[in-house]
Amino acid sequence: MATTYHTTHKDDAHDPVGDKGHLRVNEVDTDQALLWLEAGWRDFLNSPGHSLLYGILFSISCLFVVFMTQQYPGFVLAFLTGLMLIGPLLAVGAYTASWQLHHGHSVSIREGFSLIKSRATNLSFFAAMLLVVLMAWIRISSLVFAVQFQFAEPTAWSTLGRTLFGTTEGAMMLGFFILIGFVLAAAVFILSAITVPMIIDRDTNAFSAVGYSVTAVMANKKAMAFWAFMIVVLCGVSITTGFILMTVIFPVLGYATWHSYKDLISEV
C-alpha cells in the first residue's frame, strides 16, 4: 500500500534526482527499525573519523550545557528532554554524510556545509518550528517545577530527588512532567521523523516535508512507534554514561534516520 502526493524540488548541483513530480509513502514491517540501525552502523564504519568528530562535538556540547546548569536541576532536566525534541535538526550533519555516501561520494565536511547552505531556507523554516516547541517546553517545565521549586534558583539534586520520589506532591509533579513531555515528544516525532532528511535530499518545502512525515508515521504506526522507542532507549543509555556512548549512538541514529526516510519515501 502507498499514499501518493505531489511535490516539487529544485534541480541544483546537490540534487541529481531532479523534479520527478510524484512521491509515495511506503509501508514497512515493524522490525525494519533494526535494519535502519544496522545500515546506520555501516555508514558509521564507512566514515568513522567524521562520525566520531560529529558525535564528540555533540557530546561535549551536551556536557557543557549540563555543567553550566548543574545547580539548576530543573533546567538540566528540561535541557535533556529538550534534546529529544530538537534532535532531528541537530543530526543534520549525519544526514549530509549519508547523502554523500548514498550518492557514492567520500564524506566531506565542506560538501556537507555546502549542501546545508543550499537547503538553508527550508531548514530555517523547520528550525523555527522546532525552536517554538523547545521554548514552549522550557516554559511548561518551569511552570511544572515552580509548584515545588524556584525553577531559576539553585536547588540541590538531593532535595529534588527527595521531593520527586519521597512526596505525593513531587510524584504528581514528576507525573505531569513525564506526561507533558511524552505528548510533546510524540508530536515532534510525528512532524519530524523524516522531515530534515527529505529537505536535505530534495530541498522539499518544509511544510510539504512535514506533511510527508506525518503521513509516513500514520501509515506505519507500529513500525514508527518501535523506532521512536529505540531512539528513546538508546539516548537514555547514552545520557546515563555521561554522554560517552552518545559519541557513537548520535551519529548512528542520524544515519539510521536517513535510511528510514529512504525506505518510507520513494518515487512513483
Side-chain angles (χ1 to χ4, degrees), residues 21 35-36 84 88 108 149 160 261:
L35 298 180
W36 296 336
M84 306 295 292
S108 165
F149 305 100
L160 179 67
Y261 151 69

Side-chain angles (χ1 to χ4, degrees), residues 110-265:
R110 176 180 295 182
E111 184 178 4
F113 276 119
S114 179
L115 185 59
I116 292 172
K117 183 178 178 181
S118 71
R119 274 63 167 144
T121 299
N122 289 316
L123 286 174
S124 296
F125 273 116
F126 185 67
M129 293 169 59
L130 287 187
L131 182 60
V132 170
V133 175
L134 180 61
M135 292 173 64
W137 171 241
I138 296 296
R139 180 57 179 167
I140 292 171
S141 298
S142 67
L143 292 175
V144 172
F145 276 91
V147 173
Q148 294 290 332
F149 305 100
Q150 292 297 317
F151 188 72
E153 293 185 4
T155 302
W157 279 95
S158 58
T159 301
L160 179 67
R162 285 195 302 270
T163 301
L164 292 180
F165 301 106
T167 67
T168 301
E169 294 81 2
M172 291 179 61
M173 181 179 68
L174 180 62
F176 278 117
F177 182 83
I178 293 173
L179 177 61
I180 296 170
F182 173 80
V183 171
L184 275 179
V188 170
F189 178 77
I190 292 171
L191 296 174
S192 62
I194 60 170
T195 299
V196 181
M198 190 170 189
I199 292 174
I200 290 295
D201 191 32
R202 301 174 179 276
D203 202 13
T204 306
N205 175 279
F207 297 102
S208 296
V210 167
Y212 274 105
S213 181
V214 172
T215 304
V217 174
M218 292 297 99
N220 297 276
K221 294 183 181 67
K222 290 183 178 180
M224 298 308 285
F226 181 51
W227 176 227
F229 173 75
M230 292 181 65
I231 292 174
V232 171
V233 169
L234 289 172
C235 287
V237 170
S238 299
I239 291 172
T240 62
T241 65
F243 298 99
I244 294 175
L245 285 181
M246 190 70 81
T247 59
V248 173
I249 288 177
F250 185 70
V252 168
L253 285 176
Y255 297 145
T257 299
W258 168 270
H259 289 284
S260 73
Y261 151 69
K262 280 298 184 180
D263 277 353
L264 293 167
I265 302 295

